[in-house]
Amino acid sequence: MTSPDRTVTARPTILICDDHPVVRCGIRTLLAEERYDVVGEAADLAGTVEQVDRHRPTVLLLDLSFLGTISLGILPTVRAVSPGTRVLMLTMHNDLDSARQSLAAGAHGFLPKDAAAEELVAAVDALAAGGRYLDPALGAALLDRPDDPDGALSRREREVLGLIADGLTHHQIADELGLSVRTIEAQRASIKVKLGVSRRAELISYARRLRLTTTGGER
């Protein structure tokens, strides 16, 4: 007799790195109730790198500040030892500068520690699926600053955003800028994270506010 085929799907793995035991315990309890395997914890930066190397987690939940030390400096090492790990920064510093610094350093998501439990789950879901996540309040704050005074978008990202607003496809934008389609897709993903938007209509609206479209005059 032939047994029926069964597909076994591995549960996404989570590593929690925070210097407060109560915070780690709370997150572990919450995510254990979801479809995640919490494979480890770390209370300092050295332990974080060691645990990442050992477990190669799907998602790393990383406190932005360990005993007063900003943790962004370990992100290159995390990428080197586990390129597939997605990093969600958790922080009490819920401000635009901290968010931008985290994203620029290579984090894939940014969330304040006082976020609701369901928002943390949504953020982990997004990163586990290969996406990104930015606290909605910060996304709204970015949209409220149409002049982009702090340069949320790089020059290349502004070019890509303008071409998206002009209706070009990823392939057409790649041809226009002499880049690969994969690079354009990555640029678009980065733009959506930095602006805190998810829909094409929102990207177009932001491009028009910044006058990045052909009719807007900047390009």
Side-chain angles (χ1 to χ4, degrees), residues 52-69:
V52 169
D53 192 22
R54 178 184 303 173
H55 297 292
R56 311 294 171 91
T58 308
V59 179
L60 165 63
L61 275 61
L62 180 61
D63 188 3
L64 179 62
S65 178
F66 275 82
L67 300 174
T69 301

Side-chain angles (χ1 to χ4, degrees), residues 80-219:
V81 300
S82 183
T85 293
R86 314 280 293 176
V87 181
L88 174 64
M89 304 303 300
L90 298 177
T91 178
M92 297 301 297
H93 306 288
N94 190 25
D95 60 88
L96 290 176
D97 288 340
S98 294
R100 286 172 175 160
Q101 289 172 11
S102 297
L103 298 173
H108 304 91
F110 187 92
L111 191 68
K113 288 185 177 180
D114 61 358
E118 55 267 26
E119 189 173 353
L120 174 60
V121 172
V124 174
D125 281 345
L127 267 66
R132 296 171 179 264
Y133 194 91
L134 178 65
D135 171 46
L138 290 177
L142 285 170
L143 286 175
D144 285 340
R145 300 171 70 172
D147 292 332
D148 195 25
D150 292 335
L153 302 182
S154 68
R155 179 177 179 180
R156 178 66 76 190
E157 287 169 342
R158 292 166 74 92
E159 290 178 331
V160 171
L161 179 57
L163 294 171
I164 290 173
D166 285 342
L168 275 67
T169 67
H170 287 179
H171 284 83
Q172 290 171 328
I173 295 173
D175 290 341
E176 174 83 9
L177 300 179
L179 301 171
S180 69
V181 173
R182 178 169 296 182
T183 296
I184 299 303
E185 291 172 344
Q187 292 279 353
R188 178 178 176 135
S190 176
I191 291 168
K192 290 169 71 175
V193 168
K194 288 183 177 181
L195 301 185
V197 301
S198 59
R199 298 191 300 271
R200 179 183 177 84
E202 293 172 315
L203 290 175
I204 293 173
S205 176
Y206 198 97
R208 288 173 177 168
R209 292 171 68 181
L210 288 181
R211 302 178 64 189
L212 299 178
T213 64
T214 300
T215 57
E218 179 165 318
R219 291 199 307 106

